[in-house]
């Protein structure tokens, strides 16, 4: 299990002053969308990804701990989960779930159980 699913890993390429909105987002097995919003709040950092047509125009919330690498030159965020794992995450409503601590706990539990998959 990760120490904190809501924090960027030390080797992720995260830069506190970088704005990743608009970056492409790649799961471990392909493209899933682009960053629509992000939070750098310590202990609850996340990305909101607009999935476009991939899952019918919905957005997903990804804890910072799912970020494997950020390539600032190519403007790409690599996620350490498969498209299927991301698609199966708890449904996200950006109007009410962005700051909902119960929802964050649910999402954190979903992704944290998958951290040690290899």
């Amino acid at each position: 299990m990760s120490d904190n699913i809501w924090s960027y890993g030390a080797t992720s390429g995260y830069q506190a002053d970088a704005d990743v909105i608009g970056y492409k987002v790649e799961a471990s097995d392909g493209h899933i969308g682009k960053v629509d919003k992000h939070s750098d709040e310590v202990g609850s950092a996340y990305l909101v990804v607009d999935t476009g047509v991939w899952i019918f125009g919905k957005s997903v919330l990804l804890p910072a701990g799912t970020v494997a690498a950020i390539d600032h030159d190519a403007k790409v965020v690599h996620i350490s989960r498969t498209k299927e794992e991301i698609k199966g995450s708890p449904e996200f409503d950006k109007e009410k779930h962005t700051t909902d601590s119960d929802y964050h706990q649910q999402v954190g539990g979903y992704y944290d159980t998958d951290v040690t998959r290899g």
Side-chain angles (χ1 to χ4, degrees):
M1 289 239 260
S2 73
D3 291 336
N4 188 345
I5 194 70
W6 296 101
S7 296
Y8 289 96
T11 59
S12 69
Y14 167 74
Q15 297 172 358
D17 58 346
D19 182 4
V20 297
I21 293 174
Y23 280 30
K24 292 179 183 176
V25 181
E26 298 285 331
S28 60
D29 59 351
H31 181 74
I32 62 165
K34 64 182 179 87
V35 178
D36 186 41
K37 179 179 180 178
H38 70 101
S39 166
D40 293 341
E41 190 173 326
V42 175
S44 67
Y46 62 83
L47 301 174
V48 174
V49 178
D50 177 352
T51 63
V53 298
W54 176 56
I55 46 178
F56 310 111
K58 293 192 177 189
S59 294
V60 293
L61 185 122
L62 297 173
T66 64
V67 174
I70 301 172
D71 182 337
H72 294 285
D73 293 330
K75 297 189 177 187
V76 176
V77 177
H78 297 275
I79 305 298
S80 63
R81 299 295 187 279
T82 66
K83 292 167 80 172
E84 203 56 39
E85 287 171 316
I86 294 166
K87 193 173 184 178
S89 68
E91 189 166 335
F92 175 66
D93 179 340
K94 61 181 165 182
E95 298 302 318
K96 59 183 179 180
H97 288 147
T98 304
T99 58
D100 181 340
S101 60
D102 290 336
Y103 178 76
H104 282 226
Q105 190 170 25
Q106 182 183 8
V107 170
Y110 174 81
Y111 283 110
D112 207 24
T113 59
D114 292 333
V115 168
T116 57
R117 280 188 196 192

